[in-house]
């Protein structure tokens, strides 16, 4: 009799949550242009472009752990780029998430 590890119907996602904030007021910034790319040259290139919601949030996902570059631009603020590491662990077939916040300066 052979035992098999549980196979997931869908590959569980690693959710990337990024909140864009004003550095001085710590208020969320809506409408920021946020680009997320993976910086691992071995992996298939992932690129996603988003606009932050009214609470400053952007949500994306990956199926593989790795380092991602988050580039943020917003009118009236200095553009910023940060590397984030997505390394949450999927338990069984559940999605997991990593949260980050990026502060923009005027």
């Amino acid at each position: 009799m052979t035992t098999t590890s549980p196979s997931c119907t869908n590959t569980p996602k690693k959710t990337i949550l990024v909140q864009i904030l004003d550095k001085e007021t710590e208020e969320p910034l809506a409408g920021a242009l946020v680009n997320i790319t993976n910086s691992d040259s071995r992996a298939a290139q992932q690129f996603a472009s988003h606009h932050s919601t009214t609470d400053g949030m952007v949500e994306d996902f990956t199926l593989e752990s790795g380092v991602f570059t988050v580039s943020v631009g917003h009118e009236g603020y200095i553009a910023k780029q940060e590397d984030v590491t997505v390394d949450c662990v999927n338990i069984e077939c559940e999605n997991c998430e990593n949260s980050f916040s990026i502060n923009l300066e005027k």
Side-chain angles (χ1 to χ4, degrees), residues 45-59:
Q45 185 66 33
Q46 271 187 284
F47 174 84
S49 186
H50 305 274
H51 282 93
S52 58
T53 61
T54 50
D55 53 0
M57 294 301 296
V58 164
E59 184 177 321

Side-chain angles (χ1 to χ4, degrees), residues 8-49:
C8 304
T9 315
N10 297 316
T11 306
K13 296 174 181 175
K14 298 178 187 301
T15 303
I16 306 168
L17 294 172
V18 182
Q19 187 172 34
I20 312 304
L21 302 168
D22 179 302
K23 189 171 181 184
E24 277 184 38
T25 65
E26 296 182 9
E27 290 292 314
L29 290 174
L33 179 62
V34 182
N35 292 325
I36 301 174
T37 50
N38 67 340
S39 26
D40 184 350
S41 55
R42 294 185 313 258
Q45 185 66 33
Q46 271 187 284
F47 174 84
S49 186

Side-chain angles (χ1 to χ4, degrees), residues 71-92:
S71 307
V72 185
H74 194 290
E75 198 172 323
Y77 290 85
I78 300 164
K80 192 168 185 183
Q81 183 170 306
E82 271 188 31
D83 286 344
V84 298
T85 301
V86 177
D87 57 2
C88 65
V89 176
N90 298 102
I91 308 295
E92 292 172 352

